[in-house]
Amino acid sequence: AAKLKSESTSGHNWNSLFLGTNAVVDAMAKRYNTEKSAILDTESGHSAAVRVALGETQLVSETRDFLMSHGVHLELLDGNSNRKRSNTTFLVKNLPFGTKTSELEEIFSPFGLIGNLVLPPAGVSALVEFTEASHAKAALQRLAYTSFKHLPLFLEWAPVGVLGAPPTATPTNADGAGEPAADDAGSTDPQKTCTVFVKNLNFCTSDDSLMSLFARVGKVRSAKIARKRNMKDPSRPLSMGFGFVEYVSHKEASRAIRELQHVELDSHRLELKLSYHQQHQASKEKTEERKTSSSVKQVSAKVLVRNIPFEATKKELGELFKTFGELKTVRLPRKFGTKSEHRGFGFVEYLTKEDAGRAFEALGHSTHLYGRRLVLEWAQEEGLEEIRKRTSKHFYAQQQSLDKKKIKLDEVFGHHKLKN
């Protein structure tokens, strides 16, 4: 563990959106009010691995939406180890499900003033930003790989700019969450946003109810609750518990925060802050335009899936992808001379491009099947041998790095077993 702590300031990193299996199962059990054993049941006729993969996909989607709503530049969290790293901000990984902001503040605040702390609803990963680089370095070196509840903390420096401009020592709200006080809200942004971010909404609250409440303090241009796809009934999207209210002026937005902070709506106390979501979204769209112009675009309804675990079956692959639309074919090429062992990649073709695009967007960020992250590409017209070679080349270069990380994790868990 001492060796790992000494290496905590290096450039190694984990998938920023990775959610551990235990955290995913805990979240699913709580959401559906059931036992973890029911989620992992293998006798129901459906694959437990696929069930967990879909649960992870949904949590990742919610986490992405939450991070974007808090001004996090997700395009910087793409796992590129060559990006310049911040000296004030780091990622906190491997948190137990349901970790609260107050719990993280308790362990990090002794090292210095926290300028920003972003913790998605699942509570399994976070971004912590200090106002002073020396305080951040001390916290990372002291806390990396130490035990938090029953798990070791994984900390890594975040890319520069992931949270926007560096924080300043600003007054905080009464709840102590480290957010700008209402009178000073928005003063750090030269564009003076007119949008209010609203969280802790009742899942039953409607756009109209939100509009009606906020219209009391000024002229509202729009009021929208963030929603996600309802897998059981696509025609009825589900509320994500937060939303955005846009006023015609920055002055009215600031007034709304002063007068409506902690007001109850449908029996829920609202938490408000100024939002820079729209400016960030515009920046994100420009980034996406640059990325798509240099990457492969969708040309069909067929998806190439790489890094498929060898224990996964054709049935499980189909079960995972059919969640997003009707499938035309599922192919899992097998190795020559074997009847059951496949090559680690496959093809999934939908009846429509729209369904294929929906699956690509949902599963392409961070979905794991049997512990391996699925890598999606739009299928091109090429032979199996070319795909096999490209797949092998892509992952061979990463194998040594993965082996080193495994050794490090074995050392960590071995150290904790000895302590216990």
Side-chain angles (χ1 to χ4, degrees):
K3 180 182 178 182
L4 291 174
K5 290 174 73 65
S6 69
E7 295 175 348
S8 61
T9 56
S10 67
H12 72 274
N13 62 73
W14 300 276
N15 169 18
S16 302
L17 292 173
F18 174 72
L19 304 175
T21 301
N22 285 336
V24 172
V25 174
D26 285 340
M28 294 174 68
K30 182 177 181 180
R31 174 167 296 178
Y32 299 111
N33 194 27
T34 188
E35 299 293 328
K36 290 173 66 175
S37 57
I39 303 295
L40 299 173
D41 177 31
T42 58
E43 299 179 359
S44 62
H46 296 285
S47 169
V50 171
R51 199 178 301 127
V52 173
L54 289 172
E56 179 191 21
T57 300
Q58 186 172 3
L59 281 176
V60 166
S61 176
E62 294 170 2
T63 298
R64 286 175 57 82
D65 288 338
F66 181 88
L67 292 175
M68 285 192 293
S69 72
H70 282 69
V72 176
H73 293 263
L74 287 179
E75 67 274 11
L76 298 179
L77 296 175
D78 57 2
N80 184 351
S81 60
N82 295 322
R83 290 191 185 281
K84 185 178 180 181
R85 298 285 160 163
S86 170
N87 61 1
T88 58
T89 307
F90 48 80
L91 286 157
V92 185
K93 303 289 296 179
N94 203 41
L95 296 170
F97 169 74
T99 296
K100 300 184 182 303
T101 300
S102 58
E103 294 175 318
L104 292 184
E105 288 176 337
E106 184 177 344
I107 65 172
F108 286 111
S109 59
F111 295 92
L113 184 62
I114 297 174
N116 202 352
L117 197 161
V118 181
L119 180 69
V124 297
S125 60
L127 280 161
V128 177
E129 185 174 28
F130 281 86
T131 58
E132 298 291 338
S134 59
H135 298 164
K137 183 177 181 180
L140 187 139
Q141 290 183 329
R142 174 65 181 83
L143 297 175
Y145 299 105
T146 58
S147 179
F148 176 68
K149 296 185 178 179
H150 59 284
L151 295 174
L153 283 176
F154 294 166
L155 308 181
E156 93 172 93
W157 291 116
V160 170
V162 71
L163 286 175
T168 55
T170 57
T172 59
N173 288 318
D175 62 4
E179 296 173 355
D183 289 338
D184 294 325
S187 61
T188 60
D189 191 305
Q191 297 184 31
K192 292 193 174 182
T193 180
C194 303
T195 304
V196 177
F197 172 65
V198 187
K199 67 177 180 178
N200 198 37
L201 286 169
N202 189 313
F203 291 122
C204 298
T205 298
S206 65
D207 291 347
D208 290 340
S209 298
L210 190 65
M211 170 77 82
S212 178
L213 173 65
F214 281 82
R216 297 178 187 175
V217 298
K219 189 173 181 180
V220 176
R221 183 175 287 126
S222 67
K224 295 289 183 182
I225 295 173
R227 301 185 186 278
K228 63 186 177 185
R229 189 186 183 206
N230 186 342
M231 296 298 186
K232 295 183 178 179
D233 184 0
S235 65
R236 300 179 62 186
L238 301 173
S239 167
M240 296 181 67
F242 65 87
F244 301 90
V245 177
E246 184 182 3
Y247 283 93
V248 296
S249 72
H250 170 75
K251 183 177 180 181
E252 289 172 316
S254 298
R255 179 187 173 193
I257 291 180
R258 289 195 301 271
E259 298 186 12
L260 299 179
Q261 186 72 266
H262 302 141
V263 165
E264 286 198 3
L265 177 61
D266 296 330
S267 302
H268 277 225
R269 292 185 68 193
L270 304 183
E271 298 178 33
L272 313 178
K273 62 186 290 187
L274 288 177
S275 170
Y276 302 96
H277 178 70
Q278 290 182 324
Q279 290 95 320
H280 170 61
Q281 196 65 21
S283 173
K284 178 176 178 289
E285 287 172 359
K286 291 181 180 178
T287 301
E288 290 299 321
E289 287 176 5
R290 291 195 297 269
K291 287 171 65 178
T292 54
S293 64
S294 59
S295 60
V296 178
K297 297 181 180 180
Q298 180 178 5
V299 294
S300 68
K302 185 185 291 187
V303 180
L304 166 61
V305 187
R306 296 194 283 111
N307 204 33
I308 300 174
F310 292 112
E311 58 265 51
T313 65
K314 178 180 176 180
K315 179 182 178 182
E316 288 177 316
L317 192 64
E319 187 178 335
L320 175 62
F321 279 83
K322 74 177 183 182
T323 306
F324 305 95
E326 191 171 352
L327 301 178
K328 183 178 180 181
T329 59
V330 176
R331 292 174 54 213
L332 203 55
R334 304 193 182 284
K335 290 184 177 180
F336 292 116
T338 66
K339 293 184 178 180
S340 59
E341 193 172 355
H342 63 78
R343 298 185 176 189
F345 65 88
F347 300 91
V348 177
E349 186 172 8
Y350 286 87
L351 288 180
T352 68
K353 284 187 176 182
E354 290 73 22
D355 288 343
R358 194 158 42 241
F360 197 97
E361 170 62 24
L363 299 173
H365 295 296
S366 182
T367 295
H368 294 73
L369 187 61
Y370 288 108
R372 298 191 70 172
R373 183 181 180 182
L374 299 180
V375 179
L376 274 55
E377 295 179 5
W378 292 114
Q380 303 297 302
E381 295 298 327
E382 56 184 346
L384 291 179
E385 188 62 25
E386 286 77 7
I387 294 173
R388 185 191 66 78
K389 289 180 179 179
R390 185 153 54 86
T391 300
S392 175
K393 182 179 179 181
H394 178 84
F395 288 102
Y396 180 77
Q398 300 179 7
Q399 191 58 49
Q400 288 184 323
S401 176
L402 291 173
D403 289 342
K404 289 180 181 178
K405 288 179 183 178
K406 184 178 184 301
I407 291 172
K408 288 182 179 181
L409 293 178
D410 288 342
E411 290 177 359
V412 172
F413 287 110
H415 172 73
H416 282 276
K417 286 181 180 177
L418 289 175
K419 285 183 66 177
N420 295 332

